[in-house]
Amino acid sequence: MTNQLDAPIGVFDSGFGGLTVLRSLVEQLPNEDFLYLGDTARAPYGPRSIAEVRRFALQGLDYLVERGVKALVIACNSASSAVLRDARERYDVPITEVILPAASRAVAATRNGRVGVVATESTVNSRSYDDAFAIAPHITLTAQACPRFVEFVEAGITGGDELLEVAEEYLAPIKKSQDDTLILGCTHYPLLAGVIGYVLGNGVTLVSSAEACAQSTYSQLTQAGLLRHQPREATRTFLTTGDATDFRGIGRRLLGGFVSNATTVVIDREENTDVPEGDL
């Protein structure tokens, strides 16, 4: 148990959005070491088929498990939609994801029983949030795909006329449905909470899947006896399947000094034989 307790927590994402989950994890579990893997070479996952996302995500999760993590966090809505059931059968470590925790928080937050979710095309098409709300039949759910939001975030654009125009278009069905609670169902979207909140107004509660996922992770580690309680200097290691310099640059642009290092690794050797694996 001691060795397992000392192991890092593995966090997997299709690219950069999961950094918002990692930031919440670090805030709520400050004594834990984290190993973050972003599959940036094949991002975004949103427009891809469920089968393709499943294959990519399992490769990433396999890689983290081989590195000896004590828990897995699937910090990507598209990957959570595609692979959660397989992951829980495949790995013998606690696993948390971003969909069910966010749905539970939304059920608790709504006052009129009308909940919206904005997400990628892959997540919306998977109907994962519809499944998550199946245990709450009194909830009316409005799901809206917002593919361009990711482009704005990764370009570092969080305001301006063009973004506002796109947000107004995407959020029109949410306003029409009179939803009083909105799930930010892509881990990029908390970085656009300002413009989303501006368009929808103060009467709509925004639910961050990142914060809900971090709380769920805390609970699971506590129940499994794997949570570090003593103050310590924890580490964060960042891995990417793409260019490490780009990863550091975009990570710093999105979250300031939160991303201080990055190493390129190979998780699919058949597709990426020309990419050298970084030394850790």
Side-chain angles (χ1 to χ4, degrees):
M1 176 64 73
T2 301
N3 291 337
Q4 192 177 14
L5 181 67
D6 293 342
I9 297 169
V11 181
F12 176 75
D13 184 59
S14 60
F16 302 99
L19 293 172
T20 62
V21 176
L22 181 60
R23 182 171 59 182
S24 293
L25 287 164
V26 169
E27 290 172 353
Q28 296 186 38
L29 295 87
N31 302 317
E32 299 291 344
D33 296 332
F34 290 96
L35 183 62
Y36 181 97
L37 172 58
D39 190 13
T40 53
R42 300 182 292 194
Y45 281 6
R48 295 184 180 273
S49 69
I50 294 295
E52 195 170 32
V53 172
R54 176 184 178 276
R55 180 166 66 86
F56 291 170
L58 287 176
Q59 288 172 351
L61 296 171
D62 282 349
Y63 184 91
L64 290 172
V65 169
E66 289 168 4
R67 293 288 301 268
V69 298
K70 67 179 179 183
L72 288 170
V73 178
I74 308 174
C76 171
N77 281 262
S78 297
S80 296
S81 300
V83 82
L84 180 60
R85 184 173 300 174
D86 298 287
R88 288 189 167 148
E89 294 177 354
R90 190 180 183 101
Y91 311 115
D92 189 24
V93 296
I95 298 172
T96 54
E97 45 79 44
V98 287
I99 293 176
L100 288 174
S104 296
R105 180 175 286 193
V107 169
T110 183
R111 303 174 302 281
N112 66 4
R114 296 181 176 275
V115 174
V117 58
V118 286
T120 65
E121 293 167 292
S122 176
T123 298
V124 171
N125 291 338
S126 75
R127 301 184 66 83
S128 294
Y129 277 97
D130 298 81
D131 293 341
F133 281 100
I135 59 172
H138 63 289
I139 298 293
T140 299
L141 183 67
T142 305
Q144 174 67 30
C146 305
R148 291 196 62 197
F149 275 175
V150 172
E151 300 172 16
F152 284 104
V153 168
E154 295 196 355
I157 300 170
T158 58
D161 292 341
E162 184 180 5
L163 174 59
L164 184 59
E165 182 179 347
V166 170
E168 290 277 9
E169 178 184 346
Y170 283 158
L171 298 173
I174 306 299
K175 296 171 75 172
K176 183 177 180 180
S177 296
Q178 299 182 324
D179 299 328
D180 73 350
T181 304
L182 179 70
I183 297 173
L184 305 179
C186 171
T187 50
H188 283 75
Y189 296 177
L191 297 168
L192 297 179
V195 68
I196 293 171
Y198 176 78
V199 171
L200 294 179
N202 293 332
V204 177
T205 300
L206 302 184
V207 173
S208 166
S209 56
E211 292 178 7
C213 176
Q215 288 187 349
S216 178
T217 303
Y218 184 100
S219 296
Q220 286 211 38
L221 290 179
T222 299
Q223 292 167 7
L226 293 174
L227 187 68
R228 290 177 183 262
H229 298 287
Q230 296 301 317
R232 59 186 294 273
E233 188 173 342
T235 63
R236 301 194 296 268
T237 302
F238 297 93
L239 309 176
T240 175
T241 58
D243 183 271
T245 301
D246 288 346
F247 186 93
R248 285 193 298 268
I250 294 177
R252 286 171 180 165
R253 185 164 72 235
L254 296 180
L255 296 174
F258 188 78
V259 178
S260 58
N261 64 78
T263 303
T264 298
V265 297
V266 176
I267 65 174
D268 182 351
R269 298 185 183 278
E270 291 184 2
E271 290 189 2
N272 296 291
T273 53
D274 58 333
V275 180
E277 182 165 354
D279 295 326
L280 298 173

